[in-house]
Amino acid sequence: IEEVLAVDPSYNILNRLAAYSYYETEQYEKGIASITKFLGTAQPETILNSDYIYYANLLSKVNRDAEAITYLKKALEISPDDADIINDMMRIYSKMKDNLGVIEVIKLKISKDLATNNDYYSLGINYYTVKDWANADKAFATLAEKRSDFLPAYLWRARANANIDSLTEHGLAKPHYEL
């Protein structure tokens, strides 16, 4: 690919292929350069969803995660129900320790009926981390309804309720500890 581009750089699609190849061979900076060149000269109708996904993955590999999210959002505009893109966004927000970003993505998954039990658990943990006790309780309550044998859901509900009622005036946590 590099040899053809060196002779005739007008075959822009080769920049796309080079970027994909560089990603697979862990040459991330070269991949970023290639996909940047491709997107800079490509006609909008020739840009594929996978171009944005590869670009995002390349950026994330070199810790440019905020930029990666931007390109995953562009990919999501093309394929709004693609669970893999949404999961990639959630993974990158988690890597960035951006709890509010994770919450936003999980709420998107819920709205598209793509959420798993693990997503409800993550939602509760992220709400708990940002000290939104009421929403943490709701997430863990939903998880407990969906999977009544999952004891950590009850424990986290109790913890969230202990924070809501930190002076134990109403005993909100007690029923969740008494299983």
Side-chain angles (χ1 to χ4, degrees):
I1 295 174
E2 289 176 352
E3 293 170 12
V4 174
L5 280 171
V7 174
D8 186 358
S10 67
Y11 292 109
N12 193 34
I13 195 149
L14 292 178
N15 286 309
R16 170 192 282 154
L17 298 176
Y20 290 18
S21 178
Y22 286 136
Y23 176 80
E24 299 301 335
T25 58
E26 300 179 5
Q27 298 177 64
Y28 306 124
E29 293 293 347
K30 285 184 176 182
I32 290 169
S34 294
I35 198 71
T36 301
K37 191 179 294 183
F38 170 76
L39 291 174
T41 58
Q43 297 297 319
E45 65 274 4
T46 66
I47 297 174
L48 304 175
N49 191 25
S50 58
D51 297 329
Y52 293 132
I53 294 169
Y54 267 96
Y55 200 3
N57 288 332
L58 286 161
L59 290 166
S60 182
K61 289 293 186 179
V62 297
N63 296 317
R64 292 169 55 186
D65 296 312
E67 293 172 78
I69 290 292
T70 299
Y71 286 96
L72 286 173
K73 286 180 178 179
K74 288 184 180 201
L76 199 58
E77 288 174 12
I78 296 170
S79 300
D81 295 324
D82 190 321
D84 291 332
I85 296 170
I86 297 170
N87 287 333
D88 283 345
M89 289 174 67
M90 196 163 69
R91 177 185 50 78
I92 292 173
Y93 276 128
S94 292
K95 178 182 166 192
M96 295 167 57
K97 297 181 181 1
D98 182 345
N99 300 96
L100 296 176
V102 173
I103 290 167
E104 173 189 323
V105 172
I106 295 172
K107 286 168 55 177
L108 176 66
K109 285 183 82 172
I110 291 169
S111 73
K112 295 179 178 293
D113 202 27
L114 298 171
T116 65
N117 290 337
N118 285 340
D119 293 323
Y120 283 99
Y121 183 75
S122 293
L123 181 63
I125 293 294
N126 281 279
Y127 273 130
Y128 190 89
T129 302
V130 299
K131 300 180 180 181
D132 185 343
W133 317 124
N135 279 318
D137 178 49
K138 288 178 190 173
F140 292 124
T142 301
L143 178 58
E145 285 175 27
K146 291 177 169 289
R147 182 129 179 255
S148 61
D149 64 332
F150 188 64
L151 295 179
Y154 300 99
L155 174 65
W156 282 103
R157 277 201 80 189
R159 288 177 177 170
N161 278 280
N163 283 295
I164 292 169
D165 182 21
S166 62
L167 300 177
T168 63
E169 293 173 353
H170 305 288
L172 297 179
K174 186 178 179 189
H176 305 292
Y177 282 121
E178 296 177 338
L179 289 179

